[in-house]
């Protein structure tokens, strides 16, 4: 499996007790041990794939609404400047006044196949707080109003038209869109979660960060510690699922700071992703998009 580190996606450092154990500090793993670990990890991935096949979780996944694209979308006209783009990426977005509340409680997700699903609608104030969460110094965008409309988004069942809050921005003719309906609850995995670090060095895949236009590669955020050279993500493909099994490379002996780091890794697929579910071998759950 050809994988490579793409770029650091803003290091997320989370204090943990015993992170040296999690990072495998002092393991002194030999090449033979690494081969054994790889076989054990692939076996775990196969167990997860087999458990998913025909399960209640697979049925729930096929019937639910699970976004696989950004739920906050920039204006269609594009950003006027790099400063505005930076303000959006940092969440430096303020309101010129109080946003209205809504009496709408349900919205309909519509797929191209003709299938529909009703989902709860998020209040526009709560939607705003999900992307306008920083009001520090520097460039900023200003929301001047909001109304309910629609947008399209990639989901686990293909492209769907969904209700969206259309936030007017000062100086822009097209709105900032934010999906107004909540995703379905992730189904309970049919396989039991493996404890972190217990399955021959298996680590978690935190989230799906993107899918190539042709569906033949994924960008995922994998976790590792401060005493190694970074994550490695392998994949087991079946007709129904893409199971990712992650580990770390270059674990070193000695003192290790207590932190978990997320890093972008690109994973190549033999076949386009299409409507297959992406599963994490450690948790046995679908890998969420954007956390």
């Amino acid at each position: 499996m050809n994988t490579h580190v793409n770029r650091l996606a803003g290091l997320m450092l989370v204090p943990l007790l015993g992170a040296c154990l999690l990072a495998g500090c002092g393991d002194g793993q030999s090449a033979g041990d690494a081969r054994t670990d790889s076989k054990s990890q692939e076996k775990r991935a196969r167990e997860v794939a087999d458990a998913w096949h025909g399960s209640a979780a697979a049925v729930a996944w096929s019937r639910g609404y699970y976004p696989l694209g950004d739920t906050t979308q920039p204006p269609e006209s594009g950003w006027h400047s790099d400063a505005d783009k930076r303000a959006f990426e940092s969440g430096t977005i303020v309101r010129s006044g109080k946003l209205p509340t809504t009496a709408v409680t349900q919205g309909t997700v519509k797929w191209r196949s003709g299938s529909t699903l009703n989902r709860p609608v998020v209040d526009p104030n709560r939607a705003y707080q999900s992307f306008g969460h920083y009001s520090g110094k520097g460039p900023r965008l200003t929301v001047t109003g909001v109304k309910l409309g629609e947008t399209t988004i990639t989901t686990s069942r293909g492209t769907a038209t969904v209700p969206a809050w259309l936030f007017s921005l000062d100086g822009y003719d097209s709105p900032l869109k934010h999906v107004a309906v909540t995703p379905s609850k992730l189904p309970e995995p049919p396989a039991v979660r493996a404890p972190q670090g217990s399955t021959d060095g298996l680590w978690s895949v935190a989230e799906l960060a993107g899918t190539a236009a042709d569906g033949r590669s994924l960008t995922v955020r994998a976790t590792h510690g401060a005493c190694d050279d970074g994550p490695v993500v392998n994949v087991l493909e079946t007709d129904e699922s893409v199971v990712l099994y992650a580990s770390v490379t270059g674990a070193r002996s000695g003192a290790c700071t207590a932190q978990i780091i997320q890093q972008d890794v690109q994973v190549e697929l033999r076949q386009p992703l299409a409507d297959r579910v992406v599963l994490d071998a450690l948790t046995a759950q679908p890998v969420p998009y954007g956390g």
Side-chain angles (χ1 to χ4, degrees), residues 83 86-87 90-94 134-141:
R86 291 197 303 272
S90 67
T92 311
I93 306 172
V94 299
Y134 179 69
S135 58
K137 297 180 179 180
R140 63 182 58 198
L141 295 165

Side-chain angles (χ1 to χ4, degrees), residues 13-20 22 196 203 224 256-261:
L13 308 181
V14 182
L16 289 178
L17 294 175
C20 190
L22 289 174
Q196 178 94 36
W203 280 62
H224 68 104
C256 182
T257 56
Q259 57 190 223
I260 289 291
I261 303 169

Side-chain angles (χ1 to χ4, degrees), residues 30-257:
S30 68
D33 292 335
R35 285 194 294 270
T36 301
D37 284 359
S38 178
K39 290 180 180 179
S40 299
Q41 292 163 9
E42 185 175 354
K43 179 181 177 182
R44 166 65 180 179
R46 174 61 64 183
E47 291 171 351
V48 169
D50 290 345
W52 184 267
H53 177 69
S55 67
V59 173
W61 181 263
S62 69
R63 296 175 178 174
Y65 161 61
Y66 302 100
L68 296 181
D70 289 329
T71 55
T72 304
Q73 302 168 349
E76 293 178 0
S77 57
W79 298 115
H80 291 175
S81 65
D82 288 340
D84 284 359
K85 182 179 179 181
R86 291 197 303 272
F88 171 70
E89 292 174 346
S90 67
T92 311
I93 306 172
V94 299
R95 295 173 290 189
S96 62
K98 188 175 181 181
L99 297 176
T101 57
T102 179
V104 179
T105 59
Q106 292 285 314
T108 303
V109 180
K110 305 172 186 176
W111 283 273
R112 290 176 177 174
S113 64
S115 299
T116 62
L117 182 68
N118 289 336
R119 294 298 305 159
V121 170
V122 175
D123 184 86
N125 290 277
R126 181 181 169 191
Y128 162 77
Q129 290 169 4
S130 70
F131 61 80
H133 46 75
Y134 179 69
S135 58
K137 297 180 179 180
R140 63 182 58 198
L141 295 165
T142 302
V143 170
T144 59
V146 63
K147 65 179 180 180
L148 190 61
E150 290 183 333
T151 192
T152 57
I153 189 171
T154 302
T155 77
S156 59
R157 296 164 59 180
T159 302
T161 299
V162 298
W165 291 114
L166 311 183
F167 291 91
S168 302
L169 296 177
D170 186 29
Y172 283 83
D173 294 330
S174 56
L176 174 73
K177 299 179 181 179
H178 184 84
V179 173
V181 291
T182 62
S184 301
K185 182 181 178 181
L186 285 176
E188 288 295 323
V192 176
R193 176 190 173 100
Q196 178 94 36
S198 69
T199 310
D200 293 312
L202 197 64
W203 280 62
S204 68
V205 177
E207 60 188 65
L208 180 64
T211 304
D214 61 4
R216 288 185 175 272
S217 68
L218 308 173
T219 300
V220 300
R221 292 193 175 116
T223 58
H224 68 104
C227 296
D228 56 64
D229 293 332
V232 176
V233 181
N234 291 291
V235 62
L236 175 72
E237 296 186 54
T238 72
D239 291 341
E240 286 185 80
S241 62
V242 170
V243 186
L244 305 176
Y245 53 106
S247 57
V248 299
T249 184
R252 296 181 291 278
S253 301
C256 182
T257 56

